[in-house]
Amino acid sequence: ANFSEQVVESFPSDISTGIYYGWACVGNGDVHKMVLSIGWNPFYKNIKKSVETHIIHVFKEDFYGEILSIVITGYIRPEKNFDSLEALISAIQEDIEEAKRQLDLPEHLKLKEDNFFHLPEGKLVNNH
């Protein structure tokens, strides 16, 4: 799930590029573990900064146009380039496993229940 250019531009400018983990919620649905990439994705030679969310859950249908709420709880590694698509895929799998391990820790698990994910419908946080 990729954030729009407008949302990416509103991220704090001092946030380091790299791979993060945390919690994500689509619309008013359940909260799931996620891995987040912030940066330029050097393997794909992107010219614009992107924020891409990989929700660790299988959805039954697409959720284009839904509101995606996230809470970033930790940092895995810096952004880097890869020699091959296979190396990139392997790193992504390692990032997912690390995120799962970290998010099972009590200090991260408690954030899954944060009120942020249960705001009354129509309420915005920081204009988003």
Side-chain angles (χ1 to χ4, degrees), residues 48-67:
K48 290 195 180 227
K49 191 176 195 179
S50 67
V51 178
E52 301 176 356
T53 308
H54 173 80
I55 302 171
I56 305 171
H57 176 76
V58 177
F59 290 89
K60 292 179 182 159
E61 54 191 46
D62 289 337
F63 51 85
Y64 291 104
E66 290 284 340
I67 291 178

Side-chain angles (χ1 to χ4, degrees), residues 58-109:
V58 177
F59 290 89
K60 292 179 182 159
E61 54 191 46
D62 289 337
F63 51 85
Y64 291 104
E66 290 284 340
I67 291 178
L68 174 61
S69 302
I70 64 167
V71 171
I72 299 171
T73 60
Y75 183 77
I76 297 176
R77 63 174 174 83
E79 179 178 45
K80 62 182 179 181
N81 201 353
F82 295 91
D83 295 332
S84 67
L85 181 58
E86 293 76 20
L88 170 61
I89 291 169
S90 177
I92 290 169
Q93 292 302 322
E94 289 172 18
D95 296 338
I96 290 169
E97 292 308 312
E98 179 64 13
K100 288 178 182 178
R101 280 190 295 275
Q102 292 296 325
L103 290 165
D104 282 338
L105 297 173
E107 63 266 27
H108 298 303
L109 200 54

Side-chain angles (χ1 to χ4, degrees), residues 107-124:
E107 63 266 27
H108 298 303
L109 200 54
K110 68 182 179 185
L111 293 169
K112 180 179 181 181
E113 305 303 325
D114 193 273
N115 287 336
F116 169 77
F117 292 116
H118 307 289
L119 293 172
E121 197 162 326
K123 298 290 182 190
L124 299 179

